[in-house]
Amino acid sequence: MAENGESSGPPRPSRGPAAAQGPASAPAEPKIIKVTVKTPKEKEEFAVPENSSVQQFKEAISKRFKSQTDQLVLIFAGKILKDQDTLIQHGIHDGLTVHLVIKSQNRPQGQSTQPSNAAGTNTTSASTPRSNSTSISTNSNPFGLGSLGGLAGLSSLGLSSTNFSELQNQMQQQLLSSPEMMIQIMENPFVQSMLSNPDLMRQLIMANPQMQQLIQRNPEISHLLNNPDIMRQTLEIARNPAMMQEMMRNQDLALSNLESIPGGYNALRRMYTDIQEPMLNAAQEQFGGNPFASVGSNSTSGEGTQPSRTENRDPLPNPWAPPQATQSSATTSTTTSSGSGSGSSSSSATGNTVAAANYVASIFSTPGMQSLLQQITENPQLIQNMLSAPYMRSMMQSLSQNPDLAAQMMLNSPVFTANPQLQEQMRPQLPAFLQQMQNPDTLSAMSNPRAMQALMQIQQGLQTLATEAPGLIPSFTPGVGVGVLGTAIGPVGPVTPIGPIGPIVPFTPIGPIGPIGPTGPAGPGSTGSGGPPGPTVSSSTPSETTSPTSESGPNQQFIQQMVQALAGASPPQLPNPEVRFQQQLEQLNAMGFLNREANLQALIATGGDINAAIERLLGSQPS
Amino acid sequence: MEPPNLYPVKLYVYDLSKGLARRLSPIMLGKQLEGIWHTSIVVHKDEFYFGVGGISSCPPGGTLLGPPDSVVDVGSTEVTEELFQEYLSSLRESLFRRESYNVFENNCNTFTNEVVQFLTGRKIPSYITDLPSEILSTPFGQALRTFLDPRIQPPEGSPVGPPNGQ
């Protein structure tokens, strides 16, 4: 400030050269920088002097993009570059990208660098309705908005039961509140495919530490997880939110049921798991309905019906079976509970099967069984599918290889609990019975509708016979049914799945237990039912039941004859009736009927029934 | 010359999984993801996003997703609405056509990233743009890819493309 004198003199010419440089109009050595210009459609690199102005830049651009400079709008860092600016001013250095929008004024066609079609305003108006429509359509499909939305839905679906209960509840609510979403998810082929990928599902489920603990305790769960069918079926059930609810409810009930079961259950459960799937499949097809109808009332019966439980894990629906109406309801929720792999899955399944077992038992003791048999005969495909399933065979094999298992299973059936004698009968015959089941001829016979019908007829015939002429079938005891099963099966061969066996066989999948049981009640009432309310026949022949094996000979022969007669295989020939009726002949002799031939004929006519034979003889005499 | 108007630009971030990803990703993927991010740009009082239906717009927060889970301020731009629309229409014909939507490689976040760079020169946060690669680096993600990526033929032969056949 002070002493302006010389210091404030005119600027030294030393500044001349500096002044001579001027405002960047004649740079000594301008650096060439490479700037990328990016349009919505393309990207080009430009080499320009560092200190260019925007105007110059645009000129270079317009040549490359074949537009006019006033159509170009350059944007960098959010700023629109004006012609009189410089690149440096905006901080555009080497290697940076500048955005370009080329305005179309008169809409000349065919130039790729121009935004085709609408001009600015037209674009705005045109795009608005379009964007509205697209936004509408996009909005209508949340999964379309971001395909990852499907992921969200999937995760909520696939893991609804492998995680924390709170999460489960939350998702449950979500899913239940929007069944459409559920359906949408399930119908997504991606979901289905992914879920049928066993590795993936296993990975998902086993990643849960809770599951890992569970698997350590119960290795069979890993078997369960390894079955993709179970998984997919589980999720098919999940399609129906109502079923989900029911499943959850039943799970709770099942848990409470399970608590009342003694520890020995675990051992059995292990065995049953292998049989679980075929059982479930079979029973599900046959029984549909609601196996949990009796859940609440059967908390204590679980103990007695442990084996049957497995049978009723059924509802694993066989996806390839003709979709009977049975597919719905809690049976499938059993599947869900078992397949979902939660900590309580197996226990819940078993709990469910408790109820189901009772249901099964109740079924067997009702005449509904007959109609069921008819259904079966009418639908051979059902049985075919059931029996041809590979797991069926494995189940049979496992059963036959482990007679104890089978014995236990069958003997613990509710049907048998009322008749321990019958259990004793069944025991030795189980292996043979199982052998029979594995016989493919048997299976094919069972799938033959006509064969099934024949069986039905036999069964009905026997039943009629029992009611009309109870005396005619003295040896038709529950033991007979059993004896027939065990012994007749072998020698008689596949062609003669005897009446009583007929109904049994198809139910085998359900569990050897149930079937054999129902043979009694369901089948010919004459067979005296393994169950409690035996008709007179059974009551009249309790003694015979105690030693079925000893009488299995004559029984077997009789049955054999009868079946042969029915099948028309050969003229009825009574092998050694004299031998057969030796005992009766002696009795008749003792009574005073000395006419051996007449006695024999009478015995033959009455099938060995002494009383009837006597009446016959007496009736024939006076005449 | 009057100073150009500056228009604020915001990035709306949505978690498509609504929190599920944060909970389930360690289990499903083996790594922690905070969310399945969907983004959109809000500028000039409109929300713009890219989906299977192409580039769309709506009032801010007006999509089915509702209000955004978070909003990121990415700066301001001088780009006018008119210019922006031209830019968008160019994009519609080039990189962001309706059919060029690819959930892993050219998705909503790709679009948003482009637009934000255009408008402000900045990029969107990397945790959003890294999401596809994060997912694809897991076996689960690879399985997902089979079905979400229409370029890959899924086993059932039914690619999960635009669901509503738009």
Side-chain angles (χ1 to χ4, degrees):
Chain A
M1 327 240 257
E3 30 179 54
N4 335 6
E6 299 170 350
S7 58
S8 61
R12 290 299 180 122
S14 62
R15 277 174 52 191
Q21 279 187 347
S25 54
E29 283 190 16
K31 195 169 106 180
I32 306 284
I33 58 175
K34 290 202 182 50
V35 180
T36 306
V37 176
K38 193 163 172 219
T39 69
K41 297 182 198 276
E42 49 197 319
K43 196 155 80 167
E44 297 258 357
E45 207 175 72
F46 287 83
V48 292
E50 183 179 43
N51 51 5
S52 313
S53 70
V54 172
Q55 175 72 31
Q56 290 165 330
F57 194 30
K58 279 190 184 177
E59 279 162 14
I61 293 173
S62 69
K63 291 201 202 93
R64 195 87 70 88
F65 285 97
K66 299 186 183 45
S67 347
Q68 298 174 11
T69 52
D70 48 5
Q71 284 177 304
L72 306 179
V73 180
L74 284 171
I75 295 125
F76 183 76
K79 299 201 191 57
I80 297 180
L81 307 182
K82 304 205 180 22
D83 292 358
Q84 63 274 18
D85 298 338
T86 66
L87 299 184
I88 295 182
Q89 186 179 346
H90 283 286
I92 300 173
H93 301 297
D94 187 23
L96 294 182
T97 301
V98 176
H99 294 272
L100 170 71
V101 177
I102 303 174
K103 289 198 275 195
S104 65
Q105 280 140 0
N106 291 330
R107 210 168 314 161
Q109 301 296 337
Q111 293 205 8
S112 62
T113 55
Q114 287 181 353
S116 59
N117 307 347
T121 53
N122 286 345
T123 306
T124 309
S125 57
S127 64
T128 309
R130 190 174 119 204
S131 63
N132 283 343
S133 63
T134 53
S135 63
I136 288 172
S137 52
T138 308
N139 290 343
S140 69
N141 188 349
F143 295 133
L145 176 58
S147 292
L148 291 176
L151 168 63
L154 172 65
S155 62
S156 68
L157 167 69
L159 300 183
S160 63
S161 53
T162 59
N163 273 315
F164 330 97
S165 56
E166 46 161 315
L167 182 60
Q168 191 174 352
N169 288 336
Q170 192 182 20
M171 275 190 283
Q172 227 181 323
Q173 288 165 7
Q174 273 185 5
L175 290 173
L176 294 175
S177 62
S178 78
E180 289 181 4
M181 176 175 144
M182 255 318 249
I183 294 172
Q184 214 173 14
I185 292 171
M186 286 312 307
E187 288 173 1
N188 187 337
F190 156 65
V191 167
Q192 290 175 355
S193 303
M194 199 205 77
L195 293 170
S196 41
N197 179 353
D199 292 333
L200 196 58
M201 288 310 292
R202 199 183 325 129
Q203 179 191 8
L204 291 179
I205 291 172
M206 292 188 53
N208 183 351
Q210 290 178 352
M211 274 307 297
Q212 286 168 359
Q213 283 178 12
L214 188 67
I215 289 175
Q216 284 171 4
R217 277 186 279 127
N218 299 308
E220 60 264 19
I221 290 183
S222 61
H223 290 302
L224 192 64
L225 290 176
N226 289 342
N227 185 343
D229 289 340
I230 294 183
M231 294 300 185
R232 178 150 22 98
Q233 289 155 6
T234 299
L235 294 155
E236 278 180 10
I237 282 94
R239 287 189 199 212
N240 186 342
M243 212 162 327
M244 284 279 285
Q245 285 174 336
E246 205 170 356
M247 176 200 83
M248 293 304 168
R249 241 191 351 255
N250 290 327
Q251 232 174 356
D252 296 337
L253 283 170
L255 278 174
S256 61
N257 286 343
L258 190 61
E259 289 168 7
S260 64
I261 292 173
Y265 166 72
N266 274 338
L268 285 173
R269 189 178 58 167
R270 186 178 302 277
M271 294 188 299
Y272 301 146
T273 306
D274 294 334
I275 310 167
Q276 169 188 346
E277 294 125 16
M279 300 293 203
L280 283 170
N281 250 326
Q284 192 269 344
E285 289 166 355
Q286 293 194 8
F287 295 105
N290 184 357
F292 304 98
S294 52
V295 163
S297 60
N298 285 316
S299 55
T300 56
S301 59
E303 309 192 13
T305 59
Q306 285 177 7
S308 304
R309 238 176 255 148
T310 0
E311 312 174 6
N312 293 310
R313 258 135 129 230
D314 295 331
L316 274 181
N318 183 349
W320 297 280
Q324 305 300 318
T326 57
Q327 216 171 19
S328 62
S329 77
T331 55
T332 47
S333 41
T334 307
T335 306
T336 312
S337 60
S338 56
S340 59
S342 66
S344 59
S345 65
S346 46
S347 51
S348 65
T350 40
N352 289 338
T353 54
V354 170
N358 294 310
Y359 177 70
V360 171
S362 62
I363 280 188
F364 286 142
S365 58
T366 65
M369 180 56 81
Q370 296 268 349
S371 64
L372 208 51
L373 292 177
Q374 286 180 354
Q375 282 180 18
I376 291 169
T377 58
E378 287 159 11
N379 191 350
Q381 200 56 34
L382 187 71
I383 299 176
Q384 183 76 44
N385 289 338
M386 236 172 14
L387 298 172
S388 59
Y391 43 71
M392 267 297 294
R393 295 183 187 276
S394 66
M395 175 193 85
M396 290 300 180
Q397 282 173 1
S398 63
L399 278 180
S400 60
Q401 285 161 10
N402 190 351
D404 291 337
L405 161 61
Q408 264 185 326
M409 282 171 60
M410 298 208 289
L411 297 174
N412 284 334
S413 160
V415 178
F416 284 95
T417 47
N419 192 343
Q421 294 165 341
L422 188 57
Q423 292 181 14
E424 293 305 313
Q425 296 171 15
M426 286 300 303
R427 214 181 273 272
Q429 286 148 5
L430 281 174
F433 171 66
L434 293 169
Q435 291 287 339
Q436 166 72 357
M437 293 318 302
Q438 291 197 343
N439 188 342
D441 290 338
T442 309
L443 300 180
S444 60
M446 286 194 291
S447 59
N448 182 351
R450 289 184 300 283
M452 293 306 298
Q453 282 177 358
L455 291 177
M456 285 283 294
Q457 287 172 0
I458 293 175
Q459 179 183 338
Q460 287 167 357
L462 285 174
Q463 190 172 8
T464 311
L465 204 57
T467 53
E468 295 295 326
L472 187 65
I473 328 170
S475 54
F476 265 52
T477 66
V480 171
V482 175
V484 163
L485 274 180
T487 60
I489 293 175
V492 175
V495 179
T496 58
I498 300 166
I501 300 181
I504 296 176
V505 162
F507 294 130
T508 308
I510 301 173
I513 307 168
I516 299 182
T519 308
S526 63
T527 57
S529 70
T536 53
V537 177
S538 64
S539 60
S540 68
T541 59
S543 59
E544 297 194 24
T545 57
T546 52
S547 59
T549 45
S550 62
E551 287 189 350
S552 60
N555 292 346
Q556 170 188 348
Q557 287 176 354
F558 180 82
I559 297 299
Q560 194 171 357
Q561 294 169 22
M562 207 184 63
V563 172
Q564 283 176 355
L566 289 172
S570 62
Q573 288 172 2
L574 300 172
N576 296 333
E578 277 190 80
V579 173
R580 276 183 61 218
F581 299 130
Q582 185 65 33
Q583 189 184 6
Q584 287 90 333
L585 280 173
E586 286 174 6
Q587 288 182 354
L588 288 174
N589 270 335
M591 280 186 242
F593 298 96
L594 301 174
N595 188 345
R596 193 177 175 79
E597 288 177 9
N599 294 347
L600 199 56
Q601 285 182 3
L603 282 171
I604 292 171
T606 61
D609 184 353
I610 293 183
N611 292 334
I614 291 173
E615 286 177 6
R616 206 180 173 85
L617 291 169
L618 289 174
S620 64
Q621 276 182 358
S623 67
Chain B
M1 187 177 322
E2 61 189 49
N5 290 330
L6 277 183
Y7 308 99
V9 181
K10 297 264 190 297
L11 182 74
Y12 276 19
V13 183
Y14 301 82
D15 178 8
L16 289 177
S17 70
K18 296 265 182 248
L20 290 178
R22 189 184 318 119
R23 289 211 235 186
L24 302 181
S25 59
I27 294 159
M28 293 180 76
L29 299 178
K31 58 167 67 166
Q32 179 70 34
L33 291 181
E34 291 303 317
I36 309 295
W37 307 117
H38 163 80
T39 54
S40 59
I41 287 286
V42 174
V43 65
H44 299 298
K45 312 251 181 359
D46 271 323
E47 179 174 353
F48 300 91
Y49 53 91
F50 178 58
V52 289
I55 300 177
S56 323
S57 78
C58 67
T63 65
L64 202 67
L65 298 172
D69 293 304
S70 65
V71 177
V72 179
D73 183 5
V74 288
S76 308
T77 188
E78 296 175 1
V79 175
T80 64
E81 185 165 359
E82 175 189 345
L83 192 61
F84 186 57
Q85 288 294 346
E86 280 213 38
Y87 171 73
L88 285 186
S89 68
S90 297
L91 282 186
R92 280 199 185 92
E93 285 143 16
S94 60
L95 188 56
F96 295 104
R97 290 185 300 273
R98 178 185 295 179
E99 59 274 9
S100 56
Y101 182 89
N102 180 297
V103 69
F104 287 109
E105 320 228 323
N106 196 28
N107 58 19
C108 52
N109 302 330
T110 318
F111 167 77
T112 311
N113 206 10
E114 279 289 322
V115 173
V116 169
Q117 286 183 62
F118 170 78
L119 288 177
T120 68
R122 309 225 276 237
K123 294 191 181 174
I124 65 179
S126 64
Y127 69 87
I128 297 174
T129 47
D130 290 343
L131 188 67
S133 62
E134 287 274 324
I135 291 182
L136 285 180
S137 69
T138 69
F140 182 76
Q142 288 295 334
L144 265 186
R145 179 178 204 159
T146 312
F147 301 100
L148 290 178
D149 193 342
R151 295 175 305 183
I152 299 176
Q153 194 67 12
E156 288 182 345
S158 55
V160 179
N164 281 347
Q166 297 188 10

